[in-house]
Amino acid sequence: MKSFLGILLSLPLISLAAPYPATSSSALTAPEKGLYFLHKGFTLKTEGTNWVPVPGSEQSLLDTVRFSSKDNPKDGSLSIRTDKVAKTASLDLYTRKWMRDYPNYGFEVISAKNFTLNGSPALVVDMLSRSKNKQIRQVILKNEDRVAIMTCLDDKANFNKALQNCNQIMKSFSWNTLEVPEQKTTPAPTKQ
């Protein structure tokens, strides 16, 4: 009887679990809760949007997370990529290196502005693609030795609609503050 009662009490917890470990189908790691990307060093919520994570392309060389509308995935998208940098590297130096290359790739930088997002220094860059009728907003954040690049992309005509969803998700970005506890080493015994 006790084991039956134990099973009944654990059913609500089991029903929230993912059918396979590390999948996004668990209610506890749903993107709207913001915990799904904890293992990547940040949290992000899709609350207030109809955007969901989209499976990544196996052809991509970069480790990115991509979101788009669950109703029409061909519309705008938001991708998030993280990089490791030197702790001493400034956000300005990091971004200045690749911003010079944008015109070579067919992008026209409309504006670039520094700001703070949830306590982290950030830079927002708005661009137009000269050849593909696309508009882009990138938000770059730095925290110690990590950088996150969030890129919102859509056709020029639909960009403002996509940007509302992108901004809603980007505003929820926060770096993981959980630190791995340092392991204390004990001195090895000495021979007598």
Side-chain angles (χ1 to χ4, degrees):
M1 184 66 176
K2 285 184 181 180
S3 61
F4 179 70
L5 183 60
I7 291 171
L8 281 178
L9 291 174
S10 65
L11 278 177
L13 293 175
I14 294 170
S15 67
L16 292 175
Y20 301 101
T23 63
S24 65
S25 56
S26 167
L28 298 174
T29 59
E32 13 338 304
K33 306 282 188 234
L35 301 176
Y36 183 74
F37 304 104
L38 209 54
H39 69 285
K40 292 189 177 282
F42 61 88
T43 59
L44 194 68
K45 297 178 185 176
T46 59
E47 209 168 47
T49 72
N50 69 342
W51 286 28
V52 293
V54 177
S57 167
E58 293 177 14
Q59 299 170 351
S60 176
L61 299 174
L62 304 171
D63 182 22
T64 61
V65 176
R66 192 164 109 41
F67 293 88
S68 69
S69 168
K70 65 181 167 187
D71 301 328
N72 196 354
K74 298 287 183 195
D75 284 349
S77 66
L78 172 67
S79 63
I80 297 102
R81 180 174 62 94
T82 56
D83 279 338
K84 286 277 197 181
V85 295
K87 278 188 178 185
T88 57
S90 73
L91 182 61
D92 287 335
L93 273 176
Y94 176 80
T95 55
R96 198 176 310 146
K97 286 179 186 177
W98 46 262
M99 276 183 65
R100 283 181 277 191
D101 293 336
Y102 279 158
N104 296 337
Y105 296 115
F107 296 107
E108 176 187 342
V109 176
I110 301 168
S111 68
K113 181 181 174 186
N114 289 314
F115 71 107
T116 302
L117 181 64
N118 298 326
S120 294
L123 175 74
V124 61
V125 181
D126 288 309
M127 296 172 274
L128 291 172
S129 172
R130 292 187 293 244
S131 61
K132 295 187 179 180
N133 195 34
K134 299 281 184 187
Q135 191 164 347
I136 298 169
R137 169 168 284 178
Q138 281 193 323
V139 174
I140 303 99
L141 297 117
K142 183 177 184 303
N143 182 33
E144 295 184 13
D145 65 342
R146 296 181 292 170
V147 174
I149 301 102
M150 297 186 279
T151 305
C152 185
L153 170 71
D154 202 354
D155 294 326
K156 287 179 194 175
N158 302 321
F159 185 72
N160 285 334
K161 184 179 177 189
L163 187 59
Q164 289 175 355
N165 290 307
C166 288
N167 283 341
Q168 184 73 26
I169 296 169
M170 288 189 283
K171 284 182 203 173
S172 74
F173 182 96
S174 66
W175 292 106
N176 241 1
T177 55
L178 301 175
E179 302 220 359
V180 179
E182 290 183 32
Q183 292 184 355
K184 295 182 180 175
T185 56
T186 55
T190 56
K191 289 185 180 181
Q192 302 271 338

